[in-house]
Amino acid sequence: MRTCLKQAGAASVAEAARLLRAGEVVGIPTETVYGLAANALSDEAVPKIFAAKGRPQDNPLISHIASLDMLPMVVREVPGAAYRLAEAFWPGPLTLILPRSKTVADSVCAGLDTASVRMPSHPVALAVAPLAAPSANLSGSPSPTTAADVLADMEGKIPLILDGGACSVGVESTVISLAGAQPVLLRPGYITKEQLEDAMGCAVALSDAVLH
């Protein structure tokens, strides 16, 4: 497969959208890191992400949406705390874990009853959502913050990479679970535990993975 690297613009974004609708995987910029994107609603497309990354298929993916109207595609329950966080931090580098919907692809959720979702702030990612998009690197390699980084890992594995410049945040999103009785911070990131607690008005627990 030949991998094309193109500047992000109206024509190349439209091409990326066509490829995503056709079940292909595309490298796209977000404000955090570059993502390896596929249609989040397609169980035919999503496994291609795992193949390109060399990622275990029991490791769930984050879905990206462009508006709150898309939330029901990914999750079935949205508590008040989720709306408070969305109002405070979306579009932006925050991922919420909530009970999954029936429409999101099973392979995105890796067999779990929950789904991870965020609304990115990068216009390219918003233009082609809804999509599943982990970082666009080989598993175990550093997360890419430029299109050249993506090409180094993904050349010959995907048809298209959109170059939207260097990522403005440069670190992966903060991940918080709202699927249980208490909010739990699963992955620290650009948005801090204190900011989350201020927005929700309640305490946020730390997962064992964060503590250790």
Side-chain angles (χ1 to χ4, degrees):
M1 179 187 295
R2 178 171 174 265
T3 301
C4 294
L5 176 60
K6 297 185 177 183
Q7 288 294 318
S12 59
V13 170
E15 180 183 356
R18 287 193 297 271
L19 286 167
L20 290 166
R21 287 195 298 270
E24 297 295 339
V25 176
V26 176
I28 63 162
T30 80
E31 78 279 17
T32 55
V33 298
Y34 272 72
L36 200 58
N39 181 354
L41 309 183
S42 171
D43 265 316
E44 288 70 45
V46 171
K48 296 178 182 179
I49 293 176
F50 293 96
K53 282 181 66 72
R55 179 184 176 112
Q57 296 205 14
D58 61 354
N59 193 348
L61 306 177
I62 296 173
S63 295
H64 295 61
I65 59 174
S67 69
L68 291 179
D69 291 341
M70 289 185 177
L71 264 179
M73 296 180 182
V74 182
V75 301
R76 69 174 186 272
E77 295 176 22
V78 186
Y83 283 114
R84 289 192 289 276
L85 291 175
E87 182 177 1
F89 303 114
W90 281 0
L94 177 66
T95 295
L96 307 180
I97 296 181
L98 295 162
R100 60 164 294 189
S101 74
K102 293 181 179 179
T103 50
V104 69
D106 287 338
S107 49
V108 170
C109 302
L112 301 176
D113 291 330
T114 55
S116 307
V117 61
R118 84 177 186 97
M119 188 189 301
S121 63
H122 199 290
V124 172
L126 292 171
V128 295
L131 49 90
S135 55
N137 56 286
L138 295 173
S139 286
S141 297
S143 297
T145 56
T146 68
D149 294 340
V150 181
L151 186 63
D153 271 7
M154 292 295 152
E155 187 167 13
K157 298 177 180 292
I158 60 176
L160 178 64
I161 300 166
L162 294 182
D163 187 348
C167 300
S168 59
V169 172
V171 295
E172 289 163 321
S173 62
T174 301
V175 179
I176 182 171
S177 174
L178 301 178
Q182 181 179 14
V184 179
L185 181 63
L186 300 183
R187 183 175 74 187
Y190 187 76
I191 295 167
T192 67
K193 176 176 180 287
E194 290 72 24
Q195 288 175 299
L196 297 172
E197 290 175 335
D198 286 347
M200 289 188 293
C202 66
V204 173
L206 295 175
S207 74
D208 289 342
V210 174
L211 288 169
H212 301 97

